Amino acid sequence: MSEQSDALSGKVPKLNRLFKFQFEPAQDCYVLLFPEGMVKLNPSASEILLQVNGERTINDIIDALLAKFPDAEGLSEDVFAFFEHADEKRWINYV
């Protein structure tokens, strides 16, 4: 685990209140809606955000995803990379 991943592991993410996460039938995918537009999410990002509830730590989210996708290689690293990106884009805040 990298130093940055280690620092993130115990944090509790929640969706930034400026964004709305929902399934968009017209796009056939989950999206993040915000005042200036929309971000279409890939299936991996969607699965991660489905776990974000303002109570689970990033480690809890990784554990839940590993239980759901036990054969996924590099899952932990992908989750940490997602949260680093989501933080940069301000999609999430930490409780």
Side-chain angles (χ1 to χ4, degrees), residues 2-53:
S2 75
E3 200 172 299
Q4 191 164 10
S5 298
D6 203 26
L8 284 175
S9 63
K11 288 189 171 188
V12 177
K14 69 175 185 171
L15 192 63
N16 182 330
R17 64 182 183 84
L18 299 176
F19 292 87
K20 183 176 181 184
F21 174 63
Q22 68 182 39
F23 186 79
E24 188 60 51
Q27 302 294 326
D28 193 32
C29 66
Y30 280 93
V31 298
L32 281 174
L33 300 174
F34 58 104
E36 298 84 29
M38 175 180 72
V39 176
K40 289 175 66 174
L41 300 169
N42 67 31
S44 297
S46 300
E47 287 291 340
I48 294 168
L49 281 179
L50 284 167
Q51 298 295 320
V52 173
N53 65 2

